Each structure stands twice: as C-alpha cells, then as structure tokens.
Amino acid sequence: DSGVTQTPKHLITATGQRVTLRCSPRSGDLSVYWYQQSLDQGLQFLIQYYNGEERAKGNILERFSAQQFPDLHSELNLSSLELGDSALYFCASTKNTGSNEKLFFGSGTQLSVL
Amino acid sequence: QQQVKQSPQSLIVQKGGISIINCAYENTAFDYFPWYQQFPGKGPALLIAIRPDVSEKKEGRFTISFNKSAKQFSLHIMDSQPGDSATYFCAASSGSRLTFGEGTQLTVNP
C-alpha cells in the first residue's frame, strides 16, 4: 500500500457530463501529481500542486481542472466529457517538489465515458 | 525533446533468465532516471533509479545501466521470476516533472 488514496476506484458516466476525482496524499506529503494512463498515450503528466499552489502543467485539457485544498487533498475535475477521456487517472504524492523525489502512486480511478 | 522511447513493447522470458528493457531520451537536461513497476489494478511503484553521474546501479536482481553519451539507459532483471511479471516503465525528469516511456509488458514463464 503506497499510502495514497484515490476515490472512487471506478466511475462510469456519459458524454457531456462532469466528474470529480479525489486524492488523499501520503501523510506529510505536500506535492500532488495527476497522471492519465491510456493504451494509446501511455502515462501522461497532467498537473502538479505543491502545498496548495499549482507548480507545473502538462498535457491537461482546458476542460480539466484541479486544485489542492488546505488539508492537502486534491481533486481533479473533468467536464464536458468525451469518449476519449476514458482512461485510468492516477494521483501521486511526494514530500517535496524536486526532480529526484520518489513518487508514490495511488491505485487510480478508472473512468469510463459511454 | 521531452520524449522517452522504450523498447520492447512486450517481453517473454523463461524463469531464471535475464530480462532487458531499453530506453532512450533526447533531452540532455534530464537528471534523474527511475524505473517503475506496475501490476494490474495498481499504480506504478518505484523500482530503482539512477542519476547521470553514475554508469550502473544495482539493487538485488535489478540493475540499471546508463550510457550518458548515447542517451540510453536500460533495466536488467537477473534470475527473472514469475512474480516479476508486470509492466515496467522507464522515466526521466528535469525539474519536478516525470516523463514516462511507453511501457514494457514483461511475462516470466515458469
């Protein structure tokens, strides 16, 4: 168990809908990363937060947004969902924000858009 | 420049054999090269990592070989076991962002 908790584990929704994925980082970890994993794109970095502030942005669509709350949990909001958004979404956490930090991944949220 | 190319896509090895997975990168600013292991239904987990000032790092049955001039690095799994069957991802980072390879699905037959 990595100590990173993601909910829900599975999410099935329809096109055009909006969903929220939740992540609780390991105790003491200030940095949260979101990744999208799909068969054709592999593991793609979406966005990083550190202690409540956005630190880095990757291949995140404008329809997607994220935030990190004062208790350090993070939420990834996906709106106007399309079939192509179906993927496994991972959250990872680490204590700091340096490049050599070990990332601890949650078990992911499997999103299916029908 | 941000890509990390990984090969092979899949690999089948007999128990006791050596598994070798290769990665190549272009961005010379990358300064940290980890390998992650992922089992079905789980998130990736850090296996072993290396920095570019070292040519080899060994941890148990797992070894990373790093060739800075060729911008290539590889994972060697010695005495491969059925329990090693998983997907392996190489990655590279500069700053706080990890860029992953496409993944290699390893199957170790008993």
Side-chain angles (χ1 to χ4, degrees), chain B residues 25-68:
Chain B
Y25 64 97
E26 288 295 326
N27 189 350
T28 55
F30 286 144
D31 59 1
Y32 178 63
F33 300 88
W35 284 88
Y36 279 78
Q37 180 189 54
Q38 184 179 23
F39 292 104
K42 299 291 186 183
L46 180 66
L47 192 60
I48 187 172
I50 198 168
R51 300 185 189 194
D53 55 345
V54 176
S55 62
E56 185 175 282
K57 183 173 182 181
K58 183 175 180 179
E59 289 184 2
R61 296 184 294 109
F62 300 92
T63 300
I64 299 179
S65 296
F66 188 85
N67 186 330
K68 189 174 180 178

Side-chain angles (χ1 to χ4, degrees), chain A residues 92-112:
Chain A
S93 76
T94 186
K95 278 192 170 28
N96 299 307
T97 188
S99 64
N100 298 334
E101 294 293 331
K102 177 178 179 178
L103 290 186
F104 292 86
F105 282 79
S107 294
T109 293
Q110 179 69 61
L111 174 66
S112 298

Side-chain angles (χ1 to χ4, degrees), chain A residues 13-86:
Chain A
T13 188
T15 55
Q17 295 298 305
R18 172 189 168 95
V19 296
T20 298
L21 312 184
R22 183 187 168 101
C23 169
S24 294
R26 289 190 321 151
S27 176
D29 284 359
L30 300 176
S31 194
V32 170
Y33 296 74
W34 286 97
Y35 280 84
Q36 179 193 59
Q37 186 175 37
S38 61
L39 285 175
D40 56 343
Q41 295 289 325
L43 267 166
Q44 295 286 318
F45 168 70
L46 295 178
I47 197 165
Q48 180 211 355
Y49 279 82
Y50 178 76
N51 203 19
E53 293 187 1
E54 182 184 305
R55 274 300 175 95
K57 231 172 184 177
N59 304 324
I60 189 165
L61 300 172
E62 285 192 12
R63 300 183 285 108
F64 296 0
S65 65
Q67 53 185 327
Q68 186 179 26
F69 295 86
D71 67 353
L72 301 177
H73 91 271
S74 178
E75 292 181 356
L76 179 66
N77 300 297
L78 315 176
S79 61
S80 302
L81 286 168
E82 302 174 0
L83 295 177
D85 297 327
S86 295

Side-chain angles (χ1 to χ4, degrees), chain B:
Chain B
Q1 275 263 315
Q2 288 295 324
Q3 284 186 320
V4 178
K5 295 290 188 183
Q6 183 172 346
S7 63
Q9 193 172 22
S10 63
L11 181 61
I12 300 175
V13 173
Q14 291 300 119
K15 178 183 175 182
I18 302 173
S19 304
I20 302 174
I21 305 171
N22 301 300
C23 283
Y25 64 97
E26 288 295 326
N27 189 350
T28 55
F30 286 144
D31 59 1
Y32 178 63
F33 300 88
W35 284 88
Y36 279 78
Q37 180 189 54
Q38 184 179 23
F39 292 104
K42 299 291 186 183
L46 180 66
L47 192 60
I48 187 172
I50 198 168
R51 300 185 189 194
D53 55 345
V54 176
S55 62
E56 185 175 282
K57 183 173 182 181
K58 183 175 180 179
E59 289 184 2
R61 296 184 294 109
F62 300 92
T63 300
I64 299 179
S65 296
F66 188 85
N67 186 330
K68 189 174 180 178
S69 60
K71 290 185 282 187
Q72 294 175 348
F73 58 111
S74 60
L75 175 69
H76 296 236
I77 305 174
M78 311 299 288
D79 187 27
S80 299
Q81 299 296 312
D84 297 331
S85 297
T87 301
Y88 292 80
F89 293 92
C90 63
S93 76
S94 170
S96 59
R97 172 177 170 171
L98 266 180
T99 299
F100 284 88
E102 300 92 338
T104 296
Q105 189 163 350
L106 172 66
T107 301
V108 181
N109 289 327

